Amino acid sequence: MTDREPQALDVLDDAGRKVLFTEARTANTFAEVAVADDELALIWELARWSPSAANGQPLRVLFVRTREGKERLVRHLDEGNRAKTLSAPAVAVLAYDVDFHEQMPTVFPARGDMLRAAFADLTEKRESLAAYNSALQTGVFLLAVRAAGLAAGPMAGFDQAGVDEEFFAGTSWRSHLLVNIGHPGADPWFPRLPRVSVEDAVAYA
């Protein structure tokens, strides 16, 4: 073994940390400014580099932008989420693909055929893995929205079975989160709430 200098990784500057973390907020109102195709494409181009187990990448995204599409969507939302979703220029329906294993030969060439065969009859296991890993990818998706210069408003208050029937019937996609996307509108932020203390959240061994 030879002594080598460790690879030096870039460090995000203070401005980048503010955009992605310390000053980022969940938007509750949105300006009447359209979200362009290239902005949505940039969000996905960044989000798709998220880690996932065995590079399975189960996250799927449906971008809803038309009035008709949003009206189909909001009928499945909790009452308190409907108005802000209708006002958002774009809504991302984040889903996971329970048949993600079918793409394993492409995304994990070294072991893809073996993994696809191993998961073929394990429907519940695939569902569990897809749900967990898409949640991991979702965190990166929210950072990607912020990195694209837009605000995100994630919401879990909706009828998942209803959304799946409305948009994903006959497919292997299953919805798990909605994200309103756009530029912040009037009074978009609730007051910043406290964070859990370091002492309560971090331990060392």
Side-chain angles (χ1 to χ4, degrees), residues 33-112:
V33 178
V35 175
D37 288 347
D38 59 352
E39 291 177 299
L40 297 180
L42 174 59
I43 291 170
W44 180 249
E45 176 58 32
L46 297 173
R48 72 191 188 99
W49 299 102
S50 168
S52 56
N55 202 35
Q57 304 172 55
L59 184 67
R60 303 290 182 265
V61 184
L62 168 67
F63 288 115
V64 180
R65 290 190 297 178
T66 66
R67 182 73 184 187
E68 177 187 11
K70 284 188 278 189
E71 287 175 349
R72 290 173 58 198
L73 178 62
V74 298
R75 67 179 64 138
H76 304 289
L77 271 59
D78 293 353
E79 182 66 35
N81 289 335
R82 293 177 182 176
K84 58 186 173 183
T85 297
L86 284 172
S87 72
V91 186
V93 180
L94 300 188
Y96 55 84
D97 187 352
V98 296
D99 288 344
F100 71 91
H101 67 299
E102 295 291 353
Q103 69 190 6
M104 294 309 299
T106 298
V107 299
F108 201 151
R111 300 174 61 195

Side-chain angles (χ1 to χ4, degrees), residues 157-200:
F158 68 100
D159 176 6
Q160 291 173 269
V163 169
D164 292 350
E165 180 63 27
E166 186 76 42
F167 293 99
F168 304 140
T171 78
S172 55
W173 292 20
R174 306 289 184 267
S175 60
H176 78 100
L177 191 72
L178 307 180
V179 184
N180 293 329
I181 299 172
H183 296 278
D187 298 320
W189 322 120
F190 293 151
R192 171 74 86 180
L193 294 172
R195 312 331 265 178
V196 175
S197 71
V198 173
E199 291 77 15
D200 289 334

Side-chain angles (χ1 to χ4, degrees), residues 26-37:
T26 293
N28 293 284
T29 68
F30 295 91
E32 294 182 7
V33 178
V35 175
D37 288 347

